[in-house]
């Protein structure tokens, strides 16, 4: 029997409405009333089965844009994959690397992640298995609890925001540190007080601090009830992270600094981090993320999960991956808070509710964008 191979790759650049302004230390993921770029990819095999993936480019987070992701897939990555057996995920990344090589990152990771996700979705669909079962997990594990992203930068507003989110089912919270450093400790204390002692409270600095600033604040954040500080320093300053670690009482994680398995290995081997932050769009997809998770398991480090205002497609894919390893939260997958994806995923309320993602046993990722809505939301 001839193996199924990749027959066709279609790219759908879109812009989704932004419903709430989202500001962090290294930029903004969108302003209310504007739009956010999302690139959807459909991979079709030689027998007509399809799989879906998504890339969420963001110029303040990586060097990729809607235009560059679209042109890279159409002109370079896509043509390199035609004819590849759909089960050859190692070969997928070998071919993509030959087309677009790596530098200090996997080389167009957002574009590669969209194709990687689509191929995993396709393979699981062909096998008639949910993605988590296809990856070696169990359908019995089906729920991932989300972490609500607090956008306020003063204590009173943060407390009100947490209280409102709790009413809709959220039990874990993250906030963006280093945007307004003078209020970070007060916000941390307010979030902890409003969230309660059982909540996981997560401060994400998005590379926003310099070493003297974070040294002054880190122990106060711990005292205020923060459970982990993510990416306090610039991504290319591992040597400075060593200095912070020497006098840091707060567990640490890196995000932008860990774009591949080798990067995370360097931080874990030196004992500089306490968590692996799984973000498949940063790491070029599910296959490289599996390698990162293997490194974290070998180092005895637990997982956290995050994204960048991705749509339900990526959210479900990341939750499928996390559940393979028994991770049920907190996951800072906050697209629901900031983008309107209701047209693309009209059944979303059946999957995401009560502050959690509840996966079914459908083959593949379990969700796909509506084709008519994709056409309406197409980027000009």
């Amino acid at each position: 029997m001839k193996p199924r191979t990749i027959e066709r790759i279609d790219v759908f650049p879109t812009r989704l409405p932004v419903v709430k302004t989202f500001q962090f230390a290294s930029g903004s993921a969108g302003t209310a009333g504007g739009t956010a770029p999302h690139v959807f990819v459909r991979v079709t095999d030689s027998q007509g089965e399809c799989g879906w993936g998504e890339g969420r480019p963001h110029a303040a987070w990586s060097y990729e844009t809607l235009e560059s992701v679209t042109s890279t897939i159409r002109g370079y990555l896509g043509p390199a994959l035609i004819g590849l057996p759909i089960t050859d995920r190692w070969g997928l990344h070998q071919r993509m690397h030959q087309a677009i090589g790596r530098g200090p990152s996997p080389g167009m990771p957002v574009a590669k992640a969209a194709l990687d996700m689509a191929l995993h979705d396709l393979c699981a669909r062909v096998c008639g298995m949910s993605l988590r079962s296809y990856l070696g997990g169990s359908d019995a594990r089906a729920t991932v609890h989300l972490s609500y992203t607090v956008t306020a930068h003063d204590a009173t507003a943060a407390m009100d925001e947490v209280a409102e989110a709790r009413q809709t089912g959220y039990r874990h919270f993250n906030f963006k540190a280093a945007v307004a450093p003078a209020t970070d400790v007060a916000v941390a204390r307010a979030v902890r007080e409003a969230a309660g002692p059982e909540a996981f409270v997560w401060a994400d600095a998005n590379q926003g601090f310099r070493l003297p600033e974070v040294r002054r604040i880190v122990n106060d954040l711990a005292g205020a009830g923060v459970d982990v500080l993510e990416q306090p320093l610039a991504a290319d300053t591992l040597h400075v992270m060593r200095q912070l670690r020497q006098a840091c009482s707060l567990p640490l994680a890196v995000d932008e600094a860990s774009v591949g398995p080798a990067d995370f290995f360097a931080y874990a081997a030196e004992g500089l981090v306490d968590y692996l932050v799984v973000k498949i769009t940063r790491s070029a997809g599910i296959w490289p993320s599996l390698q990162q998770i293997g490194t974290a398991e070998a180092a005895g480090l637990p997982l956290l999960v995050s994204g960048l205002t991705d749509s339900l497609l990526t959210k479900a894919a990341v939750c499928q991956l996390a559940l393979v390893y028994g991770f049920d939260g907190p996951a800072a997958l906050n697209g629901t808070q900031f983008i309107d994806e209701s047209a693309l995923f009209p059944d979303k309320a059946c999957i995401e509710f009560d502050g959690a993602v509840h996966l079914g046993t459908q083959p593949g990722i379990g969700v796909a964008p509506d084709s008519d809505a994709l056409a309406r939301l197409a980027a000009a």
Side-chain angles (χ1 to χ4, degrees), residues 54-361:
E54 177 194 8
R56 170 62 168 104
H58 190 279
W61 174 67
S62 78
Y63 45 79
E64 291 171 270
T65 64
L66 182 142
E67 294 82 6
S68 70
V69 169
T70 301
S71 63
T72 296
I73 296 174
R74 286 177 175 167
Y76 298 90
L77 299 178
L81 301 180
I82 300 300
L84 180 77
I86 66 170
T87 56
D88 191 358
R89 291 168 288 163
W90 179 82
L92 172 86
H93 284 272
Q94 292 299 303
R95 288 195 184 188
M96 290 198 296
H97 176 67
Q98 289 170 2
I100 300 289
R102 66 171 290 135
S105 83
M108 300 296 290
V110 173
K112 290 177 178 178
L115 289 162
D116 172 285
M117 189 190 311
L119 194 68
H120 277 85
D121 185 37
L122 171 58
C123 287
R125 285 172 182 256
V126 169
C127 292
M129 304 170 72
S130 71
L131 179 57
R132 62 192 183 281
S133 292
Y134 176 77
L135 293 174
S138 169
D139 283 342
R141 297 190 291 273
T143 299
V144 175
H145 298 279
L146 299 173
S147 177
Y148 183 93
T149 298
V150 177
T151 58
H153 298 294
D154 70 83
T156 300
M159 189 170 289
D160 291 343
E161 197 172 344
V162 171
E164 183 177 347
R166 281 178 58 85
Q167 291 179 356
T168 63
Y170 288 93
R171 292 295 177 267
H172 305 289
F173 298 88
N174 61 91
F175 67 95
K176 294 299 182 180
V179 179
T183 64
D184 281 344
V185 174
V187 167
R189 192 174 292 113
V191 171
R192 170 56 70 191
E193 181 180 343
E198 301 303 317
F200 190 92
V201 175
W202 177 354
D204 183 4
N206 292 108
Q207 310 180 72
F209 288 118
R210 293 182 180 272
L211 182 60
E213 295 172 317
V214 71
R215 276 178 164 168
R216 286 194 296 269
I217 199 173
V218 66
N219 291 330
D220 290 335
L221 289 174
V226 170
D227 291 298
V228 63
L229 175 61
E230 179 185 343
Q231 199 61 61
L233 300 162
D236 58 351
T237 56
L238 184 147
H239 59 292
V240 182
M241 192 76 161
R242 294 189 188 106
Q243 297 177 58
L244 174 62
R245 186 66 173 195
Q246 292 172 1
C248 181
S249 62
L250 186 60
L252 298 173
V254 289
D255 178 0
E256 293 91 339
S258 177
V259 296
D263 301 306
F264 184 71
F265 177 82
Y267 278 88
E270 291 199 38
L272 300 179
V273 290
D274 302 282
Y275 291 88
L276 166 64
V277 179
V278 178
K279 181 181 285 184
I280 65 174
T281 47
R282 174 205 63 208
S283 303
I286 293 168
W287 182 256
S289 295
L290 288 168
Q291 298 172 47
Q292 285 188 316
I293 292 171
T295 301
E297 293 234 311
L301 300 179
L303 309 182
L304 292 171
V305 166
S306 74
L308 190 74
T309 60
D310 312 284
S311 83
L312 183 66
L313 180 63
T314 297
K315 181 182 295 184
V318 178
C319 289
Q320 295 270 11
L321 171 61
L323 285 167
V324 173
Y325 294 89
F327 177 89
D328 62 1
L333 300 168
N334 55 22
T336 297
Q337 294 180 236
F338 303 105
I339 60 171
D340 179 2
E341 55 186 345
S342 56
L344 281 178
F345 305 102
D347 297 328
K348 176 181 175 179
C350 299
I351 299 170
E352 184 179 345
F353 55 90
D354 293 337
V357 172
H358 308 271
L359 297 172
T361 57

